[in-house]
Amino acid sequence: MAGTQQTGVTVFLTGLSGAGKSTIADALVAQLEAEGREVTVLDGDVVRTHLSSELDFSKEHRDLNIRRIGWVAGEVVKHGGTVVVAAIAPYDAAREAARALVEEHGRFLLVHLATPLEVCEQRDVKGLYARARAGEIPVFTGVSDPYESPSRAELTIDTSVTPLEESVARIRAAMDPVS
Ligand SMILES: Nc1ncnc2c1ncn2[C@@H]1O[C@H](COP(=O)(O)OS(=O)(=O)O)[C@@H](OP(=O)(O)O)[C@H]1O
Ligand SMILES: Nc1ncnc2c1ncn2[C@@H]1O[C@H](COP(=O)(O)OP(=O)(O)O)[C@@H](O)[C@H]1O
């Protein structure tokens, strides 16, 4: 019934490659599903395979990618759903545009994974930083392309000092509306 539908929410994880977006998204989704909640996951890598396969990593295409993610998230939230986004989303204006699309229909939590570049680079989960430093990837976020820190984030977490379980617990707590 429309009047009793729960308010939808989007958790938007932003940060450098290797900051911990996918790791935290996976653990958060596992917890939400264990609670019996269905979750729509919009992970940058997956979105770029299915929805944004023609896009490159220019500013224009990154912004378009994030606008698409924001629109899809808004559509899910409109119907009371829960969305977890994991995307670099390096530009503040695009993140705020995604926020606006979601907040037309429900709640939006921006989580800035502020893990230092040195730590992300040391992790180098996919070997991309080494390739970027070698000049094989000409525009790589944090190395040769900007990451704008959020002007407003509901949560800021540095995964080099915050255990995974604590990050998930903080985000999960922030998802519940203050009564
Ligand atoms: N040039 C360049 N810069 C940044 N990232 C790159 C690049 N090329 C490929 N990749 C891989 O693409 C993943 C980021 O995609 P996103 O859709 O999240 O990026 S964005 O939000 O549109 O900026 C990102 O995934 P994560 O490492 O999980 O962040 C990278 O694996
Ligand atoms: N406290 C932590 N929180 C999240 N990830 C961590 C933490 N400590 C180490 N890691 C590791 O850092 C890496 C983060 O990679 P990933 O989640 O793929 O980042 P992203 O999706 O932002 O590119 C993983 O290998 C993960 O195991």
Side-chain angles (χ1 to χ4, degrees):
M1 207 192 302
T4 57
Q5 182 175 280
Q6 70 173 2
T7 303
V9 59
T10 289
V11 174
F12 193 119
L13 302 164
T14 172
L16 295 171
S17 177
K21 303 180 298 294
S22 298
T23 302
I24 291 174
D26 288 349
L28 177 64
V29 169
Q31 171 160 341
L32 291 167
E33 288 180 346
E35 293 173 22
R37 199 148 156 172
E38 291 179 350
V39 186
T40 297
V41 181
L42 299 172
D43 186 283
D45 276 337
V46 181
V47 169
R48 280 179 173 274
T49 302
H50 296 285
L51 182 64
S52 291
S53 56
E54 85 283 23
L55 301 187
D56 59 27
F57 288 93
S58 63
K59 180 179 188 304
E60 183 191 3
H61 280 194
R62 288 180 195 260
D63 285 352
L64 178 54
N65 186 39
I66 298 310
R67 273 208 305 281
R68 287 179 184 172
I69 288 174
W71 185 82
V72 173
E75 288 300 299
V76 175
V77 163
K78 180 156 73 174
H79 300 291
T82 301
V83 182
V84 175
V85 177
I88 295 179
Y91 298 108
D92 202 43
R95 290 187 298 257
E96 286 303 304
R99 176 193 291 280
L101 286 165
V102 172
E103 287 185 340
E104 277 181 38
H105 307 292
R107 299 176 60 241
F108 184 88
L109 295 177
L110 187 68
V111 180
H112 178 205
L113 297 184
T115 311
L117 172 65
E118 306 75 60
V119 175
C120 297
E121 190 158 359
Q122 198 171 22
R123 289 176 178 168
D124 207 4
V125 183
K126 301 172 185 166
L128 295 175
Y129 284 100
R131 290 183 54 205
R133 292 290 180 197
E136 292 171 22
I137 305 175
V139 285
F140 193 75
T141 309
V143 174
S144 48
D145 217 37
Y147 178 86
E148 297 175 359
S149 285
S151 54
R152 58 170 166 165
E154 277 69 18
L155 284 174
T156 301
I157 298 172
D158 175 351
T159 68
S160 69
V161 293
T162 311
L164 176 60
E165 299 70 25
E166 186 180 327
S167 298
V168 172
R170 285 179 61 190
I171 297 167
R172 181 66 193 86
M175 288 174 70
D176 288 330
V178 188
S179 53

